Amino acid sequence: MRELYPPRQPYNEGKLKVSDLHTIHFEESGNPEGKPIVLLHGGPGGGCPPVYRQYFDPKKWRLVMFDQRGCGQSKPHAELQENTTWDLVNDIEKLREYLNIQQWVVFGGSWGSTLSLAYSQSHPDRCQGLILRGIFMLRKKEIRWFYQEGASCIFPDAWEEYVKPIPINERDDLLTAYYQRLTSPDAQIRLEAARAWSIWEGSTSKLFPDLEIQNSFGIDAFAEAFARIECHYFINKGFIEPEDKLLLNIDRIRKIPAVIVQGRYDVVCPMISAWELHRAWPEAEFIIVPDSGHSMSEPGIRTCLIEATDKFADW
């Protein structure tokens, strides 16, 4: 098993105004002369914790991380206006140009894998490689599995807490019921719904549930941005049409070196999506981690990701 690289501080941090409304926070760490790589975090709305830096060899990589619109240190917090997949794709390009990077490797997991596919298919000439984990393509069956029925059979105890804020007569459409509460003018209603939504994901992300992760997902500021932005994207079908667009456009990225890392027992983003991506894109290296769920911090997934970043750094 591979251990994380030692903790480090960024050598550059800043703010980039990407629209009249939104300003994103970004940072660079590692080697300023190293190979550029951009990390696209999950959620949407998850932000970039410092531990993400430790998946990359600091001597070889120039790591760029940024908090997507509305989350982390980006402003305004938990904002839904002007917040779509294609706004974020444009933000990635604006950041690349601002940092004067010609090409970079793209690293993304969970929602970050969705955004990585959308970005690379829009700008394949800017991508030297793709490292993807916990594949999610924001299709109806994927959303329904986790937020309406499916995952509840595996985690009925956590599911009971997830549905608590929603009256029984509204539970046939939990996504809509949550969206109404997460956009309520009443701050208390928003926060109750946000914490239940976020803790549900934190409770199911690892093969062996982790109380520390569950608690971190329930922190008020994190939960509000995470839940509001996720639900906003999901109720709008990710702003991706047709829903199989990311699979249908694989030819645009087929020749880009890529690796797909997927936990066998991922409940949040079940392996069927990674498998369908693999079938459409057999040129990409496909790694099934047999003893892992969803989280990139699980030992098997962590090891595969670090091995992938080491390999890509030397190409």
Side-chain angles (χ1 to χ4, degrees):
M1 290 295 175
R2 292 291 300 272
E3 296 301 322
L4 295 171
Y5 284 100
R8 62 181 184 269
Q9 295 300 311
Y11 64 80
N12 179 38
E13 290 187 85
K15 306 287 185 185
L16 179 63
K17 193 167 182 61
V18 291
S19 77
D20 290 341
L21 178 60
H22 287 276
T23 299
I24 61 171
H25 175 85
F26 71 89
E27 66 166 59
E28 295 183 90
S29 64
N31 180 359
E33 303 302 320
K35 179 181 285 190
I37 186 167
V38 62
L39 186 149
L40 305 182
H41 66 68
C48 286
V51 70
Y52 285 2
R53 303 172 194 142
Q54 295 178 247
Y55 287 77
F56 306 87
D57 186 335
K59 296 179 180 178
K60 296 180 177 180
W61 286 111
R62 175 187 176 187
L63 172 62
V64 179
M65 303 199 309
F66 73 99
D67 295 327
Q68 296 160 25
R69 295 189 181 200
C71 68
Q73 298 181 65
S74 296
K75 302 295 181 183
H77 184 71
E79 180 58 60
L80 305 183
Q81 293 185 53
E82 297 178 22
N83 200 338
T84 74
T85 301
W86 309 109
D87 289 320
L88 301 186
V89 166
N90 290 336
D91 292 351
I92 299 167
E93 268 299 274
K94 289 175 183 177
L95 182 59
R96 182 192 62 77
E97 292 172 354
Y98 180 78
L99 296 175
N100 196 28
I101 294 172
Q102 294 303 307
Q103 288 186 311
W104 50 13
V105 176
V106 180
F107 178 109
S110 193
W111 155 255
S113 74
T114 321
L115 187 56
S116 296
L117 290 169
Y119 171 74
S120 61
Q121 290 174 7
S122 300
H123 301 281
D125 56 322
R126 299 304 180 186
C127 300
Q128 287 186 316
L130 289 164
I131 301 173
L132 307 177
R133 186 268 312 167
I135 300 304
F136 179 52
M137 290 181 284
L138 236 167
R139 296 171 297 172
K140 182 178 179 180
K141 68 179 182 180
E142 296 170 88
I143 300 298
R144 188 166 184 83
W145 158 267
F146 193 63
Y147 292 104
Q148 187 62 46
E149 58 185 3
S152 59
C153 297
I154 302 171
F155 288 93
D157 46 348
W159 181 262
E160 190 171 284
E161 296 301 313
Y162 165 66
V163 298
K164 266 186 180 178
I166 309 301
I168 292 175
N169 64 348
E170 295 183 52
R171 291 181 185 175
D172 60 336
D173 185 355
L174 288 165
L175 196 61
T176 297
Y178 260 102
Y179 184 74
Q180 291 171 349
R181 286 156 180 79
L182 290 167
T183 56
S184 168
D186 186 317
Q188 189 57 41
I189 290 174
R190 289 200 310 271
L191 185 57
E192 180 190 23
R195 294 189 74 254
W197 175 286
S198 299
I199 290 172
W200 162 240
E201 184 161 332
S203 300
T204 54
S205 289
K206 300 188 78 169
L207 185 61
F208 297 103
D210 186 325
L211 186 59
E212 185 177 340
I213 287 182
Q214 294 176 32
N215 290 338
S216 69
F217 272 66
I219 295 171
D220 292 356
F222 174 87
E224 182 163 24
F226 186 75
R228 274 172 55 85
I229 296 172
E230 276 200 338
C231 195
H232 163 70
Y233 272 70
F234 298 167
I235 205 162
N236 286 290
K237 304 174 183 177
F239 307 93
I240 297 171
E241 292 184 2
E243 72 163 16
D244 283 334
K245 180 184 181 74
L246 300 178
L247 283 176
L248 296 172
N249 286 343
I250 286 297
D251 278 348
R252 297 185 181 182
I253 59 173
R254 193 172 298 281
K255 295 181 180 180
I256 298 175
V259 60
I260 300 165
V261 177
Q262 179 69 37
R264 166 74 73 181
Y265 298 106
D266 189 336
V267 171
V268 181
C269 298
M271 201 185 97
I272 185 62
S273 294
W275 183 254
E276 289 169 350
L277 180 61
H278 161 62
R279 298 295 288 172
W281 191 14
E283 295 85 357
E285 181 182 4
F286 184 51
I287 301 171
I288 300 172
V289 187
D291 57 353
S292 294
H294 182 68
S295 174
M296 67 188 288
S297 67
E298 296 193 71
I301 292 178
R302 180 188 69 223
T303 295
C304 289
L305 291 176
I306 294 173
E307 288 177 347
T309 61
D310 284 353
K311 181 171 67 174
F312 273 65
D314 292 332
W315 279 1

